[in-house]
Amino acid sequence: MKLCSEMALFTPIQTGKAVLHRYLDLEQPDDKIIAEYIWIDGSGENVRGKARTLEAGVKSPEELPWWNFDGSSTEQADTKNSDVYLKPVAIFRDPFRGGKNILVLCETYNHEKKPIPSNKRHTCAEVMKKAAAAVPWFGIEQEYSILDRDGYPLEWPKGGYPRPQGPYYCSVGADRAYGRDIMDAHYKACLYAGVKIAGTNGEVMASQWEFQVGPSEGIDGGDHLWVARYLLHRVAEEFGALVTFDPKPITGNWNGAGAHTNYSTKEMREEGGLKHIEEAIAKLSKRHDAHIRMYDPRGGEDNKRRLTGRHETSSINDFSSGVASRAASIRIPRQVSEDGNGYLEDRRPASNCDPYAVTEMIVRTTVLNEQ
């Protein structure tokens, strides 16, 4: 006896969000919360997460228990010694489950309670403490591309291309602003969660967008960007779409994607700060190669595809700086040059960079004066 027809075998199950919300809207006990522990996996690019029930009333990450996961399934441990610990470091509101439920950003540690190699946050936090008197601020411009389930850019003709670049940047209209619903939903999710999202806009390539996180002080820059990335993946999941942070998702005459990092110290923001900005740029110029190695997960290999000297980028092989120049490694915004104080923009970090590695490197070079 056949339990199902051949047609049923080949008919994909469709999950319905309306059905899901019947359950998400169910009353939850007042003394219980759902905590989604999230962490960066061994790729240095992807975020993982799993949930647990905890007692309500948590006020800080220090009150939360450490947890663990199978690191052999995330490229973070060997099968024979697979447990990796999760240490809670930051709490955000959960825009998916709502109510008092939370997202818990975690660091990863091995069986000896030592940070594992993919845990870039640990050393970044140490560096930010050493540089605390400088009050480093970061504003990171996260570019990304929205893809269909087949991995091709959203709303592009299959196997072909839309109109050439030109009409898509900050665009309005169904024939050019591809994926706006995802962008708007992500914006609201970030605000609800407590992420310091500053703005968003359509980017130069079709189906490419950008959001900005900051200004954030010290370690918060990396924390808030990673949670914003997690939220973006989850929001896109709701729409049945994919998000890629690949720095050059489409070859040819199309812009790549970066994570331009705006940076300042207290001295740079004060009157006469332009002098300190220029001093920082001089320090950065001497460590160009070292920075490039830290600005994508593959030691600069990803950025080779993007930093070509074309499509609003500098050459990966040369350091450059300039006022209002989007073809430079470091841009001094026009307004900063006129005001005589403010910040600089490091345009070299790739869109798939680890913001902990980027912000740590910038502070090591410009504040701690590492050579």
Side-chain angles (χ1 to χ4, degrees):
M1 176 181 176
K2 287 188 176 182
L3 297 179
C4 57
S5 67
E6 288 187 8
M7 182 176 289
L9 285 172
F10 292 102
T11 302
I13 295 173
Q14 296 294 322
T15 59
K17 298 304 176 185
V19 176
L20 168 65
H21 280 282
R22 287 172 52 190
Y23 299 94
L24 290 180
D25 291 341
L26 290 174
E27 183 178 332
Q28 186 170 311
D30 290 338
D31 62 340
K32 295 290 188 291
I33 61 169
I34 302 172
E36 183 80 16
Y37 279 46
I38 61 179
W39 71 95
I40 304 148
D41 71 12
S43 70
E45 299 179 73
N46 302 320
V47 186
R48 309 280 182 127
K50 64 176 186 171
R52 66 185 299 176
T53 305
L54 295 173
E55 297 297 316
V58 174
K59 297 288 193 300
S60 70
E62 290 76 23
E63 298 174 36
L64 291 167
W66 285 41
W67 204 9
N68 63 74
F69 65 93
D70 172 16
S72 69
S73 297
T74 62
E75 304 175 61
Q76 291 172 293
D78 184 84
T79 307
K80 295 179 180 179
N81 189 11
S82 62
D83 286 358
V84 175
Y85 287 110
L86 292 170
K87 175 189 176 183
V89 293
I91 295 174
F92 296 81
R93 296 173 71 194
D94 186 342
F96 305 106
R97 296 187 176 103
K100 295 178 291 186
N101 300 308
I102 58 175
L103 303 175
V104 182
L105 181 64
C106 300
E107 285 189 21
T108 46
Y109 288 77
N110 66 16
H111 65 286
E112 296 178 328
K113 300 288 181 75
K114 295 179 180 179
I116 63 176
S118 57
N119 180 358
K120 308 298 185 188
R121 187 186 188 277
H122 181 75
T123 56
C124 182
E126 290 179 340
V127 165
M128 294 305 169
K129 286 179 182 178
K130 291 178 182 178
V135 196
W137 286 4
F138 300 95
I140 303 177
E141 305 169 24
Q142 177 66 71
E143 295 177 331
Y144 63 95
S145 302
I146 303 176
L147 309 178
D148 209 338
R149 293 287 288 271
D150 60 6
Y152 208 63
L154 187 70
E155 298 193 46
W156 283 35
K158 298 303 179 184
Y161 301 92
R163 288 175 294 170
Q165 294 188 156
Y168 308 110
Y169 175 69
C170 296
S171 63
V172 177
D175 62 341
R176 59 195 67 191
Y178 306 147
R180 184 183 296 279
D181 289 352
I182 293 172
M183 177 276 291
D184 274 336
H186 174 249
Y187 202 157
K188 292 297 289 287
C190 284
L191 289 172
Y192 179 94
V195 170
K196 295 178 181 176
I197 188 168
T200 187
N201 59 269
E203 267 302 333
V204 177
M205 188 183 85
S207 305
Q208 187 184 68
W209 296 83
E210 172 187 303
F211 64 89
Q212 303 91 36
V213 169
S216 304
E217 183 177 339
I219 197 66
D220 282 353
D223 286 353
H224 284 247
L225 188 67
W226 272 116
V227 173
R229 286 176 174 177
Y230 169 83
L231 294 175
L232 181 57
H233 282 301
R234 285 289 308 275
V235 166
E237 182 183 315
E238 297 257 352
F239 286 89
L242 307 175
V243 165
T244 179
F245 295 111
D246 189 283
K248 190 69 175 178
I250 301 294
T251 58
N253 194 28
W254 299 96
N255 272 34
H260 305 152
T261 302
N262 299 282
Y263 164 66
S264 68
T265 60
K266 185 173 181 291
E267 288 181 328
M268 295 178 191
R269 296 187 293 271
E270 294 175 341
E271 186 174 349
L274 185 58
K275 170 191 172 186
H276 298 287
I277 292 172
E278 291 170 342
E279 289 174 352
I281 291 172
K283 294 175 184 178
L284 291 167
S285 71
K286 297 174 182 177
R287 303 191 76 200
H288 176 66
D289 291 344
H291 278 253
I292 288 296
R293 288 193 293 273
M294 301 301 292
Y295 281 7
D296 74 50
R298 294 170 183 82
E301 290 302 310
D302 282 345
N303 250 337
K304 283 182 180 178
R305 296 183 284 123
R306 168 180 163 260
L307 296 179
T308 62
R310 301 181 63 218
H311 304 114
E312 301 182 45
T313 70
S314 59
S315 168
I316 195 170
N317 298 313
D318 303 303
F319 182 89
S320 58
S321 63
V323 174
S325 175
R326 284 176 165 78
S329 307
I330 306 292
R331 180 178 72 96
I332 299 176
R334 177 76 63 193
Q335 193 65 51
V336 170
S337 178
E338 293 176 356
D339 292 345
N341 65 295
Y343 63 96
L344 61 84
E345 178 194 36
D346 191 336
R347 296 180 58 79
R348 297 170 295 174
S351 50
N352 63 345
C353 70
D354 187 327
Y356 296 132
V358 170
T359 56
E360 175 184 337
M361 194 66 178
I362 291 173
V363 168
R364 283 185 181 277
T365 299
T366 62
V367 177
L368 303 185
N369 298 314
E370 294 190 5
Q371 301 296 316

